[in-house]
Amino acid sequence: VVLDNPAATKIVTHGKSGLVAHTIDECVSFLRQLVQTPSLRAEMAAKAVGEAQTRSPARSANAFVALWAGLVAERNSMQVKQYA
């Protein structure tokens, strides 16, 4: 269970890998639901583990480097076109 904020919603998919609460009261309600429903908790935990296995700091860093390399290449090609 996470509160609705940009960082948390990039990590947790509501109803799949966890629950996204919009208020503290909703957070408490979701926590109670998970405590009272072990099967739901186990299902979401399994999906969260699956999603976590596709993410890593190295993967994020490589994606960031690729993004910047693409932007630099785009900028360089624009500069060449301006003077050609």
Side-chain angles (χ1 to χ4, degrees):
V1 177
V2 298
L3 289 171
D4 185 11
N5 66 71
T9 56
K10 292 291 183 188
I11 298 168
V12 174
T13 304
H14 182 75
K16 183 177 177 187
S17 60
L19 298 167
V20 178
H22 300 284
T23 66
I24 296 298
D25 289 339
E26 193 174 35
C27 183
V28 170
S29 176
F30 287 155
L31 288 170
R32 283 190 179 129
Q33 181 182 8
L34 290 173
V35 167
Q36 295 170 355
T37 317
S39 60
L40 176 62
R41 188 173 63 241
E43 180 184 336
M44 286 191 183
K47 289 178 182 174
V49 167
E51 285 187 19
Q53 290 174 342
T54 67
R55 300 176 183 165
S56 71
R59 188 178 202 149
S60 295
N62 288 337
F64 186 75
V65 169
L67 173 67
W68 274 102
L71 290 172
V72 168
E74 183 179 311
R75 182 172 184 257
N76 289 341
S77 73
M78 287 172 47
Q79 288 176 344
V80 170
K81 290 177 185 176
Q82 289 175 354
Y83 298 110

Coordinates of all heavy atoms in Angstrom, one line a residue:
V1 N 0.9 -1.2 0.0 CA 0.0 0.0 0.0 C 0.9 1.2 0.0 O 1.8 1.3 0.8 CB -0.9 0.0 1.2 CG1 -1.8 1.3 1.2 CG2 -1.8 -1.2 1.3
V2 N 0.6 2.1 -0.9 CA 1.4 3.4 -1.0 C 0.4 4.5 -1.1 O -0.8 4.3 -1.5 CB 2.3 3.4 -2.2 CG1 3.4 2.3 -2.1 CG2 1.6 3.3 -3.5
L3 N 0.8 5.7 -0.7 CA 0.0 6.9 -1.0 C 0.2 7.4 -2.4 O 1.3 7.2 -3.0 CB 0.4 8.0 0.1 CG -0.1 7.7 1.5 CD1 0.5 8.7 2.5 CD2 -1.6 7.7 1.6
D4 N -0.8 8.0 -2.9 CA -0.8 8.5 -4.3 C 0.2 9.6 -4.5 O -0.1 10.8 -4.1 CB -2.2 8.9 -4.7 CG -2.3 9.3 -6.2 OD1 -1.3 9.1 -6.9 OD2 -3.3 9.9 -6.5
N5 N 1.4 9.3 -5.0 CA 2.4 10.4 -5.3 C 3.1 9.9 -6.6 O 3.1 8.7 -6.9 CB 3.3 10.7 -4.2 CG 4.2 9.5 -3.8 OD1 5.1 9.2 -4.5 ND2 3.9 8.9 -2.7
P6 N 3.7 10.7 -7.3 CA 4.4 10.3 -8.6 C 5.4 9.2 -8.5 O 5.4 8.3 -9.3 CB 5.0 11.6 -9.1 CG 4.2 12.7 -8.5 CD 3.8 12.2 -7.1
A7 N 6.2 9.2 -7.5 CA 7.2 8.2 -7.3 C 6.6 6.8 -7.0 O 6.9 5.8 -7.7 CB 8.2 8.6 -6.3
A8 N 5.7 6.8 -6.1 CA 5.0 5.6 -5.7 C 4.2 5.0 -6.8 O 4.2 3.7 -7.0 CB 4.2 5.8 -4.5
T9 N 3.5 5.8 -7.6 CA 2.7 5.3 -8.7 C 3.5 4.8 -9.9 O 3.0 4.1 -10.7 CB 1.6 6.3 -9.1 OG1 2.3 7.5 -9.5 CG2 0.6 6.6 -8.0
K10 N 4.8 5.1 -9.9 CA 5.6 4.5 -10.9 C 6.1 3.1 -10.5 O 6.5 2.4 -11.4 CB 6.9 5.4 -11.2 CG 6.6 6.7 -11.8 CD 6.1 6.6 -13.2 CE 5.9 7.9 -13.9 NZ 5.3 7.8 -15.2
I11 N 6.0 2.8 -9.3 CA 6.4 1.5 -8.8 C 5.3 0.6 -8.6 O 5.4 -0.6 -8.9 CB 7.2 1.7 -7.4 CG1 8.4 2.6 -7.6 CG2 7.5 0.4 -6.8 CD1 9.1 3.1 -6.4
V12 N 4.2 1.1 -8.1 CA 3.0 0.2 -7.7 C 1.9 0.5 -8.7 O 1.5 1.6 -9.0 CB 2.5 0.5 -6.3 CG1 1.2 -0.2 -6.0 CG2 3.6 0.2 -5.3
T13 N 1.4 -0.6 -9.3 CA 0.2 -0.6 -10.1 C -1.0 -1.0 -9.3 O -1.1 -2.1 -8.8 CB 0.3 -1.6 -11.3 OG1 1.5 -1.2 -12.0 CG2 -0.8 -1.5 -12.3
H14 N -2.0 0.0 -9.1 CA -3.1 -0.2 -8.3 C -3.9 -1.5 -8.7 O -4.2 -1.6 -9.9 CB -4.0 1.0 -8.3 CG -5.2 0.9 -7.4 ND1 -5.1 1.0 -6.0 CD2 -6.5 0.6 -7.6 CE1 -6.2 0.8 -5.4 NE2 -7.1 0.5 -6.4
G15 N -4.2 -2.3 -7.7 CA -4.9 -3.5 -8.0 C -4.2 -4.7 -8.6 O -4.7 -5.8 -8.7
K16 N -2.9 -4.4 -8.9 CA -2.1 -5.5 -9.5 C -0.9 -5.8 -8.6 O -0.9 -6.9 -8.0 CB -1.6 -5.0 -10.9 CG -0.8 -6.1 -11.6 CD -0.4 -5.7 -13.0 CE 0.5 -6.8 -13.6 NZ 1.1 -6.4 -14.9
S17 N 0.0 -4.9 -8.4 CA 1.2 -5.1 -7.6 C 1.1 -4.4 -6.2 O 2.0 -4.4 -5.5 CB 2.4 -4.6 -8.3 OG 2.4 -3.2 -8.6
G18 N -0.1 -3.8 -6.0 CA -0.3 -3.2 -4.7 C -1.5 -2.3 -4.8 O -2.3 -2.4 -5.7
L19 N -1.7 -1.5 -3.8 CA -2.9 -0.6 -3.7 C -2.4 0.8 -3.5 O -1.5 1.1 -2.7 CB -3.8 -1.0 -2.6 CG -4.4 -2.4 -2.8 CD1 -5.0 -2.9 -1.5 CD2 -5.3 -2.5 -3.9
V20 N -3.0 1.8 -4.3 CA -2.6 3.2 -4.2 C -3.7 3.9 -3.5 O -4.8 4.0 -4.0 CB -2.4 3.8 -5.6 CG1 -2.0 5.2 -5.5 CG2 -1.3 3.0 -6.3
A21 N -3.4 4.4 -2.3 CA -4.4 5.2 -1.5 C -4.3 6.6 -1.8 O -3.2 7.2 -1.9 CB -4.2 4.9 -0.1
H22 N -5.5 7.3 -1.9 CA -5.5 8.7 -2.1 C -5.6 9.5 -0.8 O -5.4 10.7 -0.8 CB -6.7 9.1 -3.0 CG -6.6 8.4 -4.4 ND1 -5.7 8.8 -5.4 CD2 -7.2 7.3 -4.8 CE1 -5.8 8.0 -6.4 NE2 -6.7 7.1 -6.1
T23 N -6.0 8.8 0.3 CA -6.1 9.5 1.6 C -5.5 8.5 2.6 O -5.4 7.3 2.4 CB -7.5 9.8 1.9 OG1 -8.2 8.6 2.1 CG2 -8.2 10.7 0.9
I24 N -5.3 9.1 3.8 CA -4.8 8.3 4.9 C -5.9 7.2 5.3 O -5.6 6.1 5.6 CB -4.4 9.1 6.1 CG1 -3.2 10.0 5.8 CG2 -4.1 8.3 7.4 CD1 -2.0 9.3 5.4
D25 N -7.1 7.7 5.3 CA -8.2 6.8 5.6 C -8.3 5.6 4.6 O -8.5 4.5 5.0 CB -9.6 7.5 5.7 CG -9.7 8.4 6.9 OD1 -9.0 8.2 7.9 OD2 -10.5 9.3 6.8
E26 N -8.1 5.9 3.4 CA -8.1 4.9 2.4 C -6.9 3.9 2.5 O -7.0 2.7 2.4 CB -8.1 5.5 1.0 CG -8.4 4.5 -0.1 CD -8.5 5.2 -1.5 OE1 -7.8 6.2 -1.8 OE2 -9.3 4.7 -2.3
C27 N -5.8 4.5 2.9 CA -4.6 3.7 3.2 C -4.9 2.7 4.3 O -4.6 1.5 4.2 CB -3.4 4.6 3.6 SG -1.9 3.7 3.9
V28 N -5.5 3.1 5.4 CA -5.9 2.3 6.5 C -6.8 1.2 6.1 O -6.7 0.0 6.4 CB -6.5 3.1 7.7 CG1 -7.1 2.2 8.7 CG2 -5.4 4.0 8.3
S29 N -7.8 1.6 5.2 CA -8.8 0.6 4.7 C -8.1 -0.5 3.9 O -8.4 -1.7 4.0 CB -9.8 1.3 3.9 OG -10.7 0.4 3.3
F30 N -7.2 -0.1 3.0 CA -6.5 -1.0 2.2 C -5.6 -2.0 3.0 O -5.5 -3.2 2.8 CB -5.6 -0.3 1.2 CG -6.3 0.3 0.0 CD1 -5.8 1.4 -0.7 CD2 -7.6 -0.1 -0.4 CE1 -6.4 2.0 -1.7 CE2 -8.3 0.5 -1.5 CZ -7.7 1.5 -2.1
L31 N -5.0 -1.4 4.0 CA -4.1 -2.3 4.9 C -5.0 -3.3 5.7 O -4.6 -4.5 5.7 CB -3.4 -1.4 5.9 CG -2.2 -0.6 5.3 CD1 -1.7 0.4 6.4 CD2 -1.1 -1.5 4.9
R32 N -6.2 -2.9 6.1 CA -7.1 -3.8 6.8 C -7.5 -4.9 5.8 O -7.6 -6.1 6.1 CB -8.3 -3.1 7.3 CG -8.0 -2.3 8.6 CD -9.3 -1.8 9.2 NE -9.0 -1.1 10.4 CZ -9.4 0.1 10.7 NH1 -10.2 0.8 9.9 NH2 -9.1 0.6 11.9
Q33 N -7.8 -4.5 4.6 CA -8.3 -5.4 3.6 C -7.2 -6.5 3.3 O -7.5 -7.7 3.2 CB -8.6 -4.7 2.3 CG -9.1 -5.6 1.1 CD -9.3 -4.7 -0.1 OE1 -9.0 -3.6 -0.2 NE2 -9.9 -5.4 -1.1
L34 N -5.9 -6.1 3.2 CA -4.8 -7.0 3.0 C -4.6 -7.9 4.2 O -4.3 -9.1 4.0 CB -3.6 -6.2 2.6 CG -3.6 -5.6 1.3 CD1 -2.3 -4.7 1.1 CD2 -3.7 -6.6 0.1
V35 N -4.7 -7.4 5.4 CA -4.6 -8.2 6.6 C -5.7 -9.3 6.6 O -5.5 -10.4 7.0 CB -4.6 -7.3 7.8 CG1 -4.7 -8.2 9.1 CG2 -3.3 -6.5 7.9
Q36 N -6.9 -8.9 6.3 CA -8.1 -9.8 6.4 C -8.2 -10.7 5.2 O -9.0 -11.7 5.2 CB -9.3 -8.9 6.5 CG -9.4 -8.2 7.8 CD -10.5 -7.2 7.8 OE1 -11.3 -7.0 6.9 NE2 -10.7 -6.5 9.0
T37 N -7.4 -10.5 4.1 CA -7.6 -11.3 2.9 C -6.2 -11.8 2.5 O -5.6 -11.3 1.5 CB -8.2 -10.5 1.7 OG1 -9.3 -9.7 2.2 CG2 -8.7 -11.4 0.6
P38 N -5.7 -12.9 3.1 CA -4.4 -13.4 2.8 C -4.2 -13.8 1.3 O -3.1 -13.6 0.8 CB -4.3 -14.6 3.7 CG -5.2 -14.4 4.8 CD -6.3 -13.6 4.2
S39 N -5.3 -14.3 0.7 CA -5.1 -14.6 -0.8 C -4.9 -13.4 -1.6 O -4.1 -13.5 -2.6 CB -6.4 -15.4 -1.2 OG -7.5 -14.5 -1.1
L40 N -5.6 -12.3 -1.3 CA -5.3 -11.1 -2.1 C -3.9 -10.6 -1.9 O -3.2 -10.2 -2.8 CB -6.3 -10.0 -1.7 CG -6.1 -8.6 -2.3 CD1 -6.3 -8.7 -3.9 CD2 -7.1 -7.6 -1.7
R41 N -3.5 -10.6 -0.6 CA -2.1 -10.2 -0.2 C -1.1 -11.1 -1.0 O -0.1 -10.5 -1.6 CB -1.9 -10.3 1.3 CG -0.6 -9.7 1.8 CD -0.6 -9.7 3.3 NE -0.6 -11.0 3.9 CZ -1.6 -11.5 4.7 NH1 -2.6 -10.7 5.0 NH2 -1.5 -12.7 5.2
A42 N -1.3 -12.4 -1.0 CA -0.3 -13.3 -1.7 C -0.3 -13.0 -3.2 O 0.7 -13.0 -3.8 CB -0.7 -14.7 -1.4
E43 N -1.5 -12.8 -3.8 CA -1.6 -12.5 -5.2 C -0.8 -11.2 -5.6 O -0.1 -11.2 -6.5 CB -3.1 -12.4 -5.6 CG -3.3 -12.1 -7.1 CD -4.8 -12.0 -7.4 OE1 -5.6 -12.5 -6.7 OE2 -5.0 -11.3 -8.4
M44 N -1.1 -10.2 -4.9 CA -0.4 -8.9 -5.1 C 1.1 -9.0 -4.9 O 1.9 -8.5 -5.6 CB -1.0 -7.8 -4.3 CG -2.4 -7.4 -4.9 SD -2.9 -5.8 -4.1 CE -4.5 -5.7 -4.9
A45 N 1.5 -9.7 -3.8 CA 2.9 -9.9 -3.5 C 3.6 -10.6 -4.7 O 4.7 -10.2 -5.1 CB 3.1 -10.7 -2.2
A46 N 3.0 -11.7 -5.2 CA 3.6 -12.4 -6.3 C 3.7 -11.5 -7.5 O 4.8 -11.5 -8.2 CB 2.7 -13.6 -6.6
K47 N 2.7 -10.7 -7.8 CA 2.8 -9.8 -9.0 C 3.9 -8.7 -8.7 O 4.6 -8.3 -9.7 CB 1.5 -9.2 -9.3 CG 0.5 -10.2 -9.8 CD -0.9 -9.6 -10.1 CE -1.8 -10.6 -10.6 NZ -3.2 -10.1 -10.7
A48 N 4.0 -8.2 -7.5 CA 5.0 -7.2 -7.2 C 6.4 -7.8 -7.4 O 7.3 -7.1 -7.9 CB 4.8 -6.7 -5.8
V49 N 6.6 -9.0 -6.9 CA 7.9 -9.7 -7.1 C 8.2 -9.8 -8.6 O 9.3 -9.5 -9.0 CB 7.9 -11.1 -6.4 CG1 9.1 -11.9 -6.8 CG2 7.9 -10.9 -4.9
G50 N 7.2 -10.2 -9.4 CA 7.5 -10.3 -10.8 C 7.8 -9.0 -11.5 O 8.7 -8.9 -12.3
E51 N 7.2 -7.9 -11.1 CA 7.5 -6.6 -11.6 C 8.9 -6.2 -11.1 O 9.6 -5.6 -11.9 CB 6.4 -5.6 -11.2 CG 5.1 -5.7 -12.0 CD 4.2 -4.6 -11.7 OE1 4.5 -3.6 -11.2 OE2 3.0 -4.8 -12.0
A52 N 9.2 -6.4 -9.9 CA 10.5 -6.0 -9.3 C 11.6 -6.7 -10.0 O 12.7 -6.1 -10.2 CB 10.5 -6.3 -7.8
Q53 N 11.4 -7.9 -10.5 CA 12.5 -8.6 -11.2 C 12.8 -8.0 -12.5 O 13.9 -8.3 -13.1 CB 12.1 -10.1 -11.3 CG 12.1 -10.8 -10.0 CD 11.6 -12.2 -10.1 OE1 10.9 -12.6 -11.0 NE2 12.0 -13.0 -9.1
T54 N 11.9 -7.2 -13.1 CA 12.2 -6.6 -14.4 C 12.8 -5.2 -14.2 O 13.1 -4.5 -15.2 CB 10.9 -6.4 -15.2 OG1 10.0 -5.5 -14.5 CG2 10.2 -7.7 -15.4
R55 N 13.0 -4.8 -12.9 CA 13.6 -3.5 -12.7 C 14.8 -3.6 -11.8 O 14.9 -4.5 -11.0 CB 12.5 -2.6 -11.9 CG 11.3 -2.4 -12.7 CD 10.2 -1.7 -11.9 NE 9.0 -1.6 -12.7 CZ 7.9 -1.3 -12.3 NH1 7.7 -1.0 -11.0 NH2 6.8 -1.2 -13.0
S56 N 15.8 -2.7 -12.1 CA 17.0 -2.7 -11.3 C 17.7 -1.4 -11.4 O 17.4 -0.7 -12.4 CB 17.9 -3.9 -11.7 OG 18.5 -3.5 -13.0
P57 N 18.5 -1.0 -10.5 CA 19.3 0.2 -10.7 C 20.1 0.2 -12.0 O 20.1 1.3 -12.7 CB 20.2 0.3 -9.4 CG 19.4 -0.5 -8.4 CD 18.8 -1.7 -9.2
A58 N 20.7 -0.9 -12.3 CA 21.5 -0.9 -13.6 C 20.6 -0.7 -14.8 O 21.0 0.0 -15.7 CB 22.2 -2.3 -13.7
R59 N 19.5 -1.3 -14.8 CA 18.5 -1.2 -15.9 C 18.1 0.3 -16.1 O 18.1 0.9 -17.1 CB 17.3 -2.1 -15.8 CG 16.5 -2.1 -17.0 CD 15.3 -3.1 -16.7 NE 14.8 -3.5 -18.0 CZ 14.3 -4.7 -18.3 NH1 14.2 -5.6 -17.4 NH2 13.9 -4.9 -19.5
S60 N 17.8 0.9 -14.9 CA 17.4 2.3 -14.9 C 18.5 3.2 -15.4 O 18.3 4.1 -16.2 CB 16.9 2.8 -13.5 OG 15.8 2.1 -13.2
A61 N 19.7 2.9 -14.9 CA 20.9 3.7 -15.3 C 21.2 3.6 -16.8 O 21.4 4.6 -17.5 CB 22.1 3.3 -14.5
N62 N 21.1 2.4 -17.3 CA 21.3 2.1 -18.8 C 20.2 2.9 -19.6 O 20.5 3.5 -20.7 CB 21.3 0.6 -19.1 CG 22.5 0.0 -18.6 OD1 23.6 0.6 -18.4 ND2 22.4 -1.3 -18.4
A63 N 19.0 2.9 -19.2 CA 17.9 3.6 -19.9 C 18.2 5.1 -19.9 O 18.0 5.8 -20.9 CB 16.6 3.2 -19.3
F64 N 18.7 5.6 -18.7 CA 19.0 7.0 -18.6 C 20.1 7.4 -19.6 O 20.0 8.4 -20.3 CB 19.3 7.3 -17.2 CG 19.5 8.8 -16.9 CD1 18.4 9.6 -16.8 CD2 20.8 9.3 -16.7 CE1 18.6 11.0 -16.5 CE2 21.0 10.6 -16.4 CZ 19.9 11.5 -16.4
V65 N 21.2 6.6 -19.6 CA 22.3 6.9 -20.5 C 21.9 6.8 -21.9 O 22.3 7.7 -22.7 CB 23.4 5.9 -20.2 CG1 24.5 5.9 -21.3 CG2 24.1 6.1 -18.8
A66 N 21.0 5.8 -22.3 CA 20.5 5.7 -23.7 C 19.7 7.0 -24.0 O 19.8 7.5 -25.1 CB 19.7 4.5 -23.8
L67 N 18.9 7.4 -23.1 CA 18.1 8.6 -23.4 C 19.0 9.8 -23.6 O 18.8 10.6 -24.6 CB 17.2 8.9 -22.2 CG 16.4 10.2 -22.2 CD1 15.4 10.2 -23.3 CD2 15.7 10.4 -20.9
W68 N 20.0 10.0 -22.8 CA 20.9 11.2 -22.9 C 21.7 11.0 -24.2 O 21.9 12.0 -24.9 CB 21.8 11.3 -21.7 CG 21.1 12.2 -20.7 CD1 20.5 11.7 -19.5 CD2 20.9 13.6 -20.7 NE1 19.9 12.7 -18.8 CE2 20.1 13.9 -19.5 CE3 21.2 14.6 -21.6 CZ2 19.8 15.2 -19.2 CZ3 20.9 15.9 -21.3 CH2 20.1 16.2 -20.1
A69 N 22.2 9.9 -24.5 CA 22.9 9.7 -25.8 C 22.1 10.0 -27.0 O 22.6 10.7 -27.9 CB 23.4 8.2 -25.8
G70 N 20.8 9.6 -26.9 CA 19.9 10.0 -28.0 C 19.7 11.5 -28.1 O 19.7 12.0 -29.3
L71 N 19.6 12.1 -27.0 CA 19.4 13.6 -27.0 C 20.6 14.3 -27.5 O 20.6 15.3 -28.3 CB 19.0 14.1 -25.6 CG 17.6 13.7 -25.1 CD1 17.5 14.1 -23.7 CD2 16.6 14.4 -26.0
V72 N 21.8 13.8 -27.1 CA 23.1 14.4 -27.6 C 23.2 14.2 -29.1 O 23.6 15.2 -29.8 CB 24.3 13.8 -26.8 CG1 25.6 14.2 -27.5 CG2 24.2 14.3 -25.4
A73 N 22.9 13.0 -29.6 CA 23.0 12.8 -31.0 C 22.0 13.6 -31.8 O 22.4 14.2 -32.8 CB 22.7 11.3 -31.3
E74 N 20.8 13.8 -31.3 CA 19.8 14.7 -31.9 C 20.3 16.1 -32.0 O 20.2 16.8 -33.0 CB 18.5 14.5 -31.1 CG 17.4 15.3 -31.8 CD 16.1 15.2 -31.0 OE1 15.7 14.0 -30.6 OE2 15.5 16.2 -30.7
R75 N 20.9 16.6 -30.9 CA 21.3 17.9 -30.8 C 22.5 18.1 -31.8 O 22.6 19.1 -32.5 CB 21.8 18.3 -29.4 CG 22.3 19.7 -29.3 CD 22.6 20.1 -27.8 NE 22.9 21.5 -27.7 CZ 24.2 21.9 -27.5 NH1 25.2 21.0 -27.4 NH2 24.4 23.2 -27.4
N76 N 23.4 17.2 -31.8 CA 24.5 17.3 -32.8 C 24.1 17.3 -34.2 O 24.6 18.0 -35.0 CB 25.5 16.1 -32.5 CG 26.3 16.3 -31.2 OD1 26.3 17.4 -30.7 ND2 26.9 15.3 -30.7
S77 N 23.1 16.5 -34.5 CA 22.6 16.4 -35.9 C 21.9 17.7 -36.3 O 21.9 18.2 -37.4 CB 21.7 15.2 -36.2 OG 20.5 15.4 -35.5
M78 N 21.2 18.4 -35.3 CA 20.6 19.6 -35.5 C 21.6 20.7 -35.8 O 21.4 21.6 -36.6 CB 19.7 20.0 -34.4 CG 18.4 19.2 -34.3 SD 17.5 19.4 -32.8 CE 17.3 21.2 -32.6
Q79 N 22.7 20.7 -35.1 CA 23.8 21.7 -35.2 C 24.4 21.6 -36.6 O 24.7 22.5 -37.3 CB 24.8 21.6 -34.1 CG 24.3 22.0 -32.8 CD 25.3 21.8 -31.7 OE1 26.3 21.1 -31.8 NE2 25.1 22.5 -30.6
V80 N 24.6 20.3 -37.1 CA 25.2 20.1 -38.4 C 24.3 20.7 -39.4 O 24.7 21.3 -40.4 CB 25.5 18.6 -38.6 CG1 25.9 18.4 -40.1 CG2 26.6 18.1 -37.7
K81 N 23.0 20.4 -39.3 CA 22.0 20.9 -40.3 C 21.9 22.4 -40.3 O 21.7 23.0 -41.4 CB 20.6 20.3 -40.0 CG 20.5 18.8 -40.2 CD 19.1 18.3 -39.8 CE 19.1 16.8 -40.0 NZ 17.8 16.3 -39.5
Q82 N 22.1 23.1 -39.2 CA 22.0 24.5 -39.2 C 23.2 25.2 -40.0 O 23.0 26.2 -40.5 CB 22.1 25.0 -37.7 CG 20.8 24.7 -36.9 CD 21.0 25.1 -35.4 OE1 22.1 25.5 -35.0 NE2 19.9 24.9 -34.7
Y83 N 24.3 24.5 -40.0 CA 25.5 25.1 -40.7 C 25.7 24.6 -42.0 O 26.6 25.0 -42.7 CB 26.7 25.0 -39.8 CG 26.6 25.7 -38.5 CD1 26.4 24.9 -37.3 CD2 26.5 27.1 -38.4 CE1 26.2 25.6 -36.1 CE2 26.4 27.7 -37.2 CZ 26.2 27.0 -36.0 OH 26.1 27.6 -34.8
A84 N 25.0 23.6 -42.4 CA 25.2 22.9 -43.7 C 24.6 23.7 -44.8 O 23.7 24.5 -44.7 CB 24.7 21.5 -43.7

